[in-house]
Amino acid sequence: MAKRKNGGTANTREAKTAKFDQSPVKADKRAAHSSDTDDDEEEPANVEAEETRHDEGEFNYEPDQFRVLVESFTEHVHSHENGACSVHNMERVVADWIKTQDELIDARCFITDYRKYLKQAVRFRNYQLTHASPSLIAYLGSDKALPEFSSYPDRLQTKVQLYIKRNNIEFKGSIGGKFMKDLHSRMQNDKEGTRECEEELQELKTQLMPNLQEFLDSHPNLTDEQKKHISAKIAALERQCNPKTPTPKTPKKKGKEVVTAYSLFCKSKNDKYRDLSEVEREKKLAKKFAKLPDETRDMLEGLALGMN
């Protein structure tokens, strides 16, 4: 596997490249809306650091070698309809693609170079307008752009976050591991405090619904995707705040028993052959019914027909 050596010139270019800092307010808002996880589910911290952990250093593949691999990978993605998979979650798709290749390919090296080369490809100065504008339009019309609206309601805090805030619990680093285990244990023991957080969260959900509807009504130029996303949020909140009372199931009525000539015959012999077992008695009655004269059978069938 050939490695590409980056010379000092490349480093100099990097040093001269202007860096665009995110506005703290917008950055915080984007982080708050970065996913649609459940209310009680915590988002992993330092996601960006996790993504770029292996992005430093030299490339594993020369551009011409890697282009051939990416062409093969792209064909696999299209043929298996995996185009909706994000670059952040591409590991499974890459693993499936590698299984179809004759040569030995290291998944980590491929993914690392894919992300590093992609960063180079989509830098502002290298991005052609032919590709830049459609990408920008797609982003601006997606639900991911909604947090950029100044009037878009902030994402709800979770029950855990409310509990931490109410009790002034201090923590260092990312929320997870032993800290979360101890916190959940504390919340289970603190029934009253947890109940108060649940009530506060319910009230926040109730307040959020009209705010989302107001935002939806005041922005008629939203795309169908954005409108659908907001409407789905409102519907989900409505179900959580106003759960429907389950309708009791109506017991099924037993169907009317069909009267037959044979059942009438058995009824007329209700006191007969009681000394026999049920099976033997049934056989005995069946034999007797089979020997009935046609006139008697016709009479019983006529009676049965009139009773149904």
Side-chain angles (χ1 to χ4, degrees):
M1 181 186 299
K3 289 189 176 181
R4 175 187 174 188
K5 295 183 179 179
N6 295 329
T9 305
N11 293 333
T12 304
R13 285 200 302 270
E14 291 295 334
K16 292 181 179 179
T17 303
K19 295 183 179 179
F20 296 87
D21 295 330
Q22 293 182 346
S23 166
V25 175
K26 285 295 182 184
D28 291 343
K29 197 168 185 182
R30 271 193 290 270
H33 291 270
S34 59
S35 67
D36 290 324
T37 53
D38 293 334
D39 290 330
D40 292 333
E41 183 179 347
E42 295 299 327
E43 296 181 11
N46 303 323
V47 173
E48 186 174 351
E50 181 70 21
E51 287 182 345
T52 59
R53 182 189 301 171
H54 304 283
D55 287 358
E56 304 299 330
E58 298 179 347
F59 288 96
N60 298 293
Y61 294 95
E62 294 283 351
D64 58 343
Q65 294 175 313
F66 198 60
R67 177 176 53 79
V68 175
L69 292 178
V70 173
E71 287 174 350
S72 172
F73 175 66
T74 304
E75 183 179 349
H76 174 86
V77 169
H78 290 162
S79 64
H80 290 75
E81 298 181 352
N82 290 322
C85 178
S86 68
V87 176
H88 175 61
N89 297 314
M90 64 188 295
E91 283 78 2
R92 179 185 59 79
V93 181
V94 171
D96 292 342
W97 164 69
I98 288 177
K99 294 176 183 177
T100 67
Q101 301 300 297
D102 295 330
E103 62 179 303
L104 183 63
I105 300 173
D106 185 279
R108 175 56 60 84
C109 291
F110 178 85
I111 293 171
T112 300
D113 273 13
Y114 190 99
R115 291 170 177 165
K116 287 166 65 177
Y117 273 121
L118 182 62
K119 285 183 180 180
Q120 295 287 347
V122 299
R123 287 163 67 184
F124 288 116
R125 66 184 185 187
N126 296 333
Y127 214 176
Q128 297 179 358
L129 293 178
T130 305
H131 303 119
S133 293
S135 297
L136 183 57
I137 291 171
Y139 169 74
L140 294 175
S142 70
D143 61 276
K144 295 180 179 63
L146 290 174
E148 304 298 343
F149 286 87
S150 59
S151 58
Y152 190 72
D154 290 330
R155 186 169 180 246
L156 285 175
Q157 288 184 296
T158 66
K159 182 172 63 177
V160 172
Q161 290 170 333
L162 291 174
Y163 188 86
I164 291 174
K165 184 178 179 181
R166 272 174 168 264
N167 294 276
N168 297 318
I169 299 174
E170 295 184 1
F171 61 92
K172 296 181 180 179
S174 60
I175 298 180
K178 186 177 184 301
F179 174 83
M180 286 302 298
K181 185 177 180 180
D182 294 342
L183 181 61
H184 280 298
S185 177
R186 175 174 172 175
M187 291 177 68
Q188 287 177 350
N189 295 328
D190 184 9
K191 303 292 185 182
E192 182 64 21
T194 303
R195 184 186 61 78
E196 291 176 355
C197 290
E198 290 173 348
E199 292 176 352
E200 182 180 357
L201 181 59
Q202 196 73 1
E203 180 62 27
L204 291 173
K205 289 179 180 179
T206 304
Q207 296 172 4
L208 180 58
M209 282 190 290
N211 293 340
L212 285 171
Q213 187 62 53
E214 181 182 356
F215 176 84
L216 188 61
D217 295 339
S218 60
H219 292 81
N221 293 329
L222 293 174
T223 63
D224 290 340
E225 177 185 345
Q226 291 170 329
K227 292 177 181 178
K228 183 178 179 181
H229 178 80
I230 297 172
S231 297
K233 273 183 170 291
I234 295 174
L237 289 168
E238 179 67 31
R239 289 192 298 270
Q240 294 170 21
C241 295
N242 303 302
K244 292 183 179 179
T245 305
T247 305
K249 293 183 178 180
T250 305
K252 293 183 179 180
K253 295 181 179 180
K254 293 184 178 180
K256 184 180 178 181
E257 185 178 353
V258 179
V259 180
T260 64
Y262 178 69
S263 65
L264 288 176
F265 172 76
C266 291
K267 193 173 183 180
S268 68
K269 303 294 183 182
N270 194 39
D271 297 331
K272 299 287 185 178
Y273 318 121
R274 287 297 178 184
D275 56 325
L276 301 176
S277 66
E278 286 297 323
V279 176
E280 292 297 327
R281 183 172 181 275
E282 188 71 24
K283 290 181 180 179
K284 185 80 171 178
L285 289 172
K287 288 180 180 180
K288 291 289 185 181
F289 180 75
K291 294 179 180 179
L292 286 177
D294 293 340
E295 297 82 4
T296 306
R297 188 189 293 266
D298 291 341
M299 180 191 68
L300 291 173
E301 289 179 353
L303 290 172
L305 186 63
M307 297 175 69
N308 289 323

